Amino acid sequence: MAKVTRDDVARLAGTSTAVVSYVINNGPRPVAPATRERVLAAIKELGYRPDRVAQAMASRRTDLIGLIIPDARQPFFGEMAHAVEQAASERGKMVLVGNTDYVGEREVHYLRAFLGMRVSGLILVSHALNDLAAAEIEAWDARVVLLHERPEAIDDVAVVTDDLGGAQLAVRHLLEHGYDYVACMGGTADTPAVGDPVSDHVEGWKRAMDEAGLPTEGRLFEAPYNRYDAYRVALDVLAGPDRPPAIFCSTDDQALGVLRAARELRIDVPGELAVAGFDDIKEAALADPPLTTIASDRPAMARAAVDLVLDDGLRVAGSRRERLKTFPSRLVVRGSCGCG
């Protein structure tokens, strides 16, 4: 059977091949609704399949968006990647995902690979974008949107959560329960001091404690972001002589590790220990007890990032404040803090 071409579709629809192209690519010129319906009917009748490779070669852009994240095994990043994929699908795009495992060299590897594939744009969740990665983006003049994090090495459009304000909400809520103080499980020694959500979570904790006239010295514990390493840190903290009455964790994954350690040590939550997290991953509602946490609108953030990376107005003059889209945080109260 002969391959169906765009000329065949145009002939059956009674229009030009250019109009067929506009329908298939959703532009760049508008097509009258009746004409669009004829073209779509002809495509369906003939079983026409566009040659995406040829289209990419002609336009020097593919229908792909590159998404680079630290670790899809962590629920937060897995849920964010899924939200980006759904938003991209609504715009007729597909998503390529690369996991850096928090390693700068792997970030550069995926940057080069995706940009070499002529992706329509890049959405980058970077733990600590290094100078080499920033130079790579600059060299390709890439369309990049930063999501969730905003490293100092690159001044590009960013979509983030109000991390600092959200952390203050959580800590204030814990203090309102009457706990003597709230400890904090932050990041590790290599967590960037600026532009990283966990750094903002720690700063929000400090500000809430300062507002309450409470010292923070000796009450900040370093831990990786995942539940497994956080669990091991929590075992030491909770088994020690100065066990805190409440802990604010910079991520929900950390908080799940704390809950596991408390259960193993037979520490009642929230009777003897209150716990709050940040991110509102789906698993937080199923924790035992359900986890009090801070939520943001991930689907809306993903749609904003996709829209920004695909829109022609991405690179606009203006200050960094104008190029930063911040979504509000909200407190989700469940049983781990002592409510309910």
Side-chain angles (χ1 to χ4, degrees), residues 65-72 77 80-81 84 95-115 119 121-129 133 136-137 142-149:
I65 293 174
L67 172 63
I68 301 176
I69 57 178
D71 188 352
F77 294 120
M80 182 63 82
V84 168
V95 178
L96 294 174
V97 180
N99 288 269
T100 66
D101 294 322
Y102 298 99
V103 177
E105 289 78 8
R106 288 180 62 82
E107 190 166 72
V108 173
H109 163 75
Y110 280 116
L111 280 170
R112 288 173 175 167
F114 289 169
L115 293 173
V119 294
L122 274 172
I123 296 176
L124 181 59
V125 183
S126 177
H127 173 59
L129 190 75
E136 198 71 29
I137 292 171
R143 299 167 64 86
V144 176
V145 169
L146 305 171
L147 180 59
H148 179 57
E149 308 196 26

Side-chain angles (χ1 to χ4, degrees), residues 197-239:
V198 169
S199 296
D200 284 349
H201 298 170
V202 172
E203 180 60 27
W205 164 73
K206 288 179 178 178
R207 292 189 185 185
M209 290 281 283
D210 186 60
E211 289 171 0
L214 297 171
T216 57
E217 186 176 355
R219 293 171 176 176
L220 173 63
F221 304 104
E222 291 186 356
Y225 308 138
N226 67 80
R227 69 189 69 181
Y228 310 104
D229 292 316
Y231 155 76
R232 285 189 279 270
V233 172
L235 283 177
D236 291 337
V237 172
L238 299 181

Side-chain angles (χ1 to χ4, degrees), residues 14-203:
T15 186
S16 68
T17 54
V19 170
V20 174
S21 177
Y22 300 154
V23 172
I24 292 171
N25 297 310
N26 290 315
R29 295 184 179 180
V31 177
T35 304
R36 175 179 291 275
E37 289 302 318
R38 291 205 314 273
V39 171
L40 292 174
I43 288 173
K44 183 176 181 180
E45 180 177 337
L46 295 172
Y48 174 67
R49 297 290 182 270
D51 187 338
R52 297 299 185 188
V53 174
Q55 288 178 331
M57 291 178 66
S59 66
R60 297 182 65 81
R61 281 289 182 269
T62 65
D63 284 335
L64 302 172
I65 293 174
L67 172 63
I68 301 176
I69 57 178
D71 188 352
R73 295 171 300 181
Q74 289 183 239
F76 174 83
F77 294 120
E79 291 177 21
M80 182 63 82
H82 185 264
V84 168
E85 185 179 20
Q86 286 188 312
S89 179
E90 292 170 2
R91 296 288 302 268
K93 303 293 183 181
M94 295 180 290
V95 178
L96 294 174
V97 180
N99 288 269
T100 66
D101 294 322
Y102 298 99
V103 177
E105 289 78 8
R106 288 180 62 82
E107 190 166 72
V108 173
H109 163 75
Y110 280 116
L111 280 170
R112 288 173 175 167
F114 289 169
L115 293 173
M117 293 177 185
R118 295 290 180 178
V119 294
S120 296
L122 274 172
I123 296 176
L124 181 59
V125 183
S126 177
H127 173 59
L129 190 75
N130 60 37
D131 291 337
L132 182 58
E136 198 71 29
I137 292 171
E138 187 68 25
W140 283 86
D141 191 28
R143 299 167 64 86
V144 176
V145 169
L146 305 171
L147 180 59
H148 179 57
E149 308 196 26
R150 51 192 191 285
E152 284 190 298
I154 177 173
D155 181 17
D156 237 308
V157 176
V159 178
V160 299
T161 301
D162 180 10
D163 291 291
L164 194 151
Q168 287 178 283
L169 279 176
V171 177
R172 286 171 184 158
H173 180 76
L174 289 173
L175 290 172
E176 286 169 0
H177 278 276
Y179 302 117
D180 293 338
Y181 70 92
V182 177
C184 178
M185 184 169 283
T188 57
D190 62 351
T191 297
V194 178
D196 184 87
V198 169
S199 296
D200 284 349
H201 298 170
V202 172
E203 180 60 27

